[in-house]
Amino acid sequence: MLTTMSLPVHVSVKSRSWSCYASLSVPQPQAETQLLNGNSGGRLADRKEIRLGLPSKGRMSSDTLELLKNCQLSVKQVNPRQYVAGIPQLSNLEVWFQRPKDIVRKLLSGDLDLGIVGLDTVSEYGQSNEDLIIVHEALEYGDCRLSLAIPQYGIFENVNSVEELAKMPQWTKERPLRVATGFSYLGPKFMKESGVEHVTFSTADGALEAAPAMGIADAILDLVSSGTTLRENNLKEIKGGVVLESQAVLIASRKSMIQRKGVLEATHEMLERLEAHLRAIGQFTVTANMRGSSAEEVAERILSQPSLMGLQGPTVSPVFCKRGGKVTADYYAIVICVPKKALYKSIQQLRAIGGSGVLISPLTYIFDEETPRWRQLLSELGL
């Protein structure tokens, strides 16, 4: 079966072998087309367990497992070679290890209910399908950007923006700009929106950075982290060339959350644990004793220092001791939450107003009354 991408610009897609050009009609199996259209084939009704898709290999996989472990959601595998596992804290939930693009496809087909992948993968393979909902858009790892890069030399030496690239007289219908990329959906979409009229795309696995030097392509569209690999291969990013900023995200199937029992509740628990842990990263609890005439007087001194405000204000409580046969409270214990970057400054200010016996401990979780993302998700689902 052929699915045709209709674009008003002169665009073609090259085969994976790099050897020949094909039209913009890209062969896709019928089953895959159904996945992209969100056809579940009735699978939602075929099973009772909740399924979470996680990346099976690489840095994204190890970082995902570490994050879940830090949220007390450790993944337990009986056999490391098996592709299915569990999370004891979430009953009736199965973890399935898959390729990131397959996680997105299987969410759309109804074979998975939840998944953690990069935003770039969601955007490329989800293609704005309304059944995919991004539950948490910033899990704070897997940071990269999908960016256009061109050579630093030759005809591109003085080209520093997508606008300048589009205006180069070299690109014609007969000799279009050749872009090597693994993003056959986002690439043409971006070029169309950027006004690049004559462009073709070639797709291949492996290091794309060599394509311009080999004469296979004029530019590449690929994921970039630090940009070091680009520079070492005499390539440069240009102004307006970033397609999207990406990091790990938690995604879910709209149909699963509405129709499958337990999916919404599991999503809520995962979201709360993730939010609480991510909010606590880089935060420290500071506890100290301070002499004072009353809790109010001590609080007044603390609030006079800008670094001692805490999340909502300091907690001040009396420290009781027995003196002369009587129980008195000459000291008060104060507890505040301080970000790591302001930790030493906060300790200095605390000492300056009479604080002593300062104790520091890292925070593991900060739970709000209710996470704003949960309210936003319910609104998105119409609940």
Side-chain angles (χ1 to χ4, degrees):
M1 179 178 178
L2 289 176
T3 57
T4 303
M5 300 167 61
S6 300
L7 290 176
V9 295
H10 304 292
V11 184
S12 64
V13 178
K14 201 174 181 182
S15 71
R16 286 189 179 275
S17 65
W18 300 96
S19 57
C20 61
Y21 284 92
S23 70
L24 199 58
S25 298
V26 183
Q28 289 183 336
Q30 183 174 0
E32 181 171 318
T33 304
Q34 290 178 343
L35 300 192
L36 293 176
N37 291 334
N39 186 349
S40 66
R43 294 173 185 168
L44 278 172
D46 294 343
R47 59 180 171 84
K48 295 181 180 180
E49 70 276 5
I50 302 165
R51 289 179 178 172
L52 167 67
L54 299 182
S56 57
K57 296 179 181 179
R59 181 70 179 272
M60 180 68 81
S61 176
S62 58
D63 286 352
T64 300
L65 294 177
E66 183 67 20
L67 173 63
L68 292 175
K69 179 181 178 181
N70 290 335
C71 296
Q72 301 298 309
L73 293 173
S74 294
V75 176
K76 302 298 182 182
Q77 279 180 285
V78 177
N79 186 331
R81 293 187 178 184
Q82 289 182 335
Y83 286 94
V84 63
I87 298 178
Q89 287 76 14
L90 297 175
S91 61
N92 199 37
L93 182 137
E94 292 180 347
V95 172
W96 285 82
F97 293 101
Q98 301 285 298
R99 294 184 302 175
K101 63 182 179 182
D102 290 335
I103 291 174
V104 176
R105 288 167 173 166
K106 289 176 181 178
L107 279 163
L108 293 174
S109 70
D111 293 305
L112 293 174
D113 305 305
L114 298 157
I116 295 179
V117 294
L119 179 60
D120 57 290
T121 305
V122 178
S123 303
E124 172 69 15
Y125 297 97
Q127 301 182 8
S128 302
N129 191 297
E130 292 185 355
D131 189 52
L132 286 180
I133 294 181
I134 297 178
V135 179
H136 198 300
E137 77 290 350
L139 297 182
E140 299 186 11
Y141 68 95
D143 298 80
C144 60
R145 58 190 177 275
L146 180 60
S147 187
L148 184 68
I150 60 175
Q152 300 175 358
Y153 49 84
I155 61 173
F156 299 101
E157 185 175 359
N158 296 316
V159 176
N160 297 300
S161 70
V162 173
E163 182 179 1
E164 293 173 355
L165 181 66
K167 292 179 179 179
M168 292 179 67
Q170 285 86 350
W171 319 131
T172 64
K173 184 177 181 180
E174 292 73 25
R175 174 54 173 95
L177 173 70
R178 300 168 302 161
V179 180
T181 185
F183 292 83
S184 58
Y185 170 74
L186 292 176
K189 182 174 181 289
F190 173 75
M191 286 301 194
K192 176 185 175 183
E193 294 171 350
S194 300
V196 183
E197 185 177 0
H198 303 292
V199 57
T200 61
F201 293 87
S202 55
T203 62
D205 297 324
L208 298 180
E209 291 84 1
M214 295 177 69
I216 295 171
D218 303 302
I220 68 171
L221 185 68
D222 203 7
L223 295 176
V224 179
S225 295
S226 65
T228 301
T229 305
L230 290 180
R231 292 189 292 271
E232 289 178 347
N233 286 275
N234 297 313
L235 299 174
K236 63 182 179 181
E237 295 179 87
I238 55 178
K239 182 180 179 181
V242 176
V243 179
L244 60 81
E245 298 282 350
S246 181
Q247 62 177 299
V249 297
L250 172 64
I251 56 176
S253 161
R254 181 189 300 270
K255 286 195 287 287
S256 288
M257 286 192 290
I258 293 175
Q259 299 176 17
R260 183 180 295 289
K261 182 180 179 180
V263 173
L264 190 60
E265 291 77 7
T267 303
H268 186 202
E269 182 169 348
M270 284 191 67
L271 182 58
E272 286 226 293
R273 287 174 179 263
L274 288 166
E275 287 262 284
H277 171 67
L278 293 172
R279 192 178 182 201
I281 291 177
Q283 298 285 342
F284 289 80
T285 298
V286 177
T287 305
N289 289 336
M290 188 176 297
R291 188 185 291 273
S293 59
S294 67
E296 290 76 12
E297 185 267 330
V298 170
E300 190 73 33
R301 272 189 280 160
I302 296 170
L303 293 174
S304 68
Q305 304 298 317
S307 295
L308 303 180
M309 299 295 183
L311 293 176
Q312 296 173 320
T315 298
V316 181
S317 55
V319 177
F320 294 101
C321 63
K322 200 167 185 179
R323 196 186 307 276
K326 294 183 179 180
V327 175
T328 61
D330 295 332
Y331 284 87
Y332 290 83
I334 65 106
V335 180
I336 55 174
C337 182
V338 175
K340 184 177 182 179
K341 62 182 179 181
L343 187 57
Y344 186 67
K345 183 178 180 181
S346 298
I347 294 172
Q348 288 179 312
Q349 291 183 350
L350 197 55
R351 286 170 172 169
I353 59 174
S356 62
V358 182
L359 303 178
I360 310 293
S361 57
L363 280 170
T364 305
Y365 305 104
I366 299 177
F367 284 95
D368 281 325
E369 292 182 13
E370 186 62 86
T371 167
R373 286 185 176 88
W374 174 245
R375 293 193 293 270
Q376 183 179 340
L377 177 61
L378 293 179
S379 176
E380 177 79 13
L381 295 172
L383 300 176

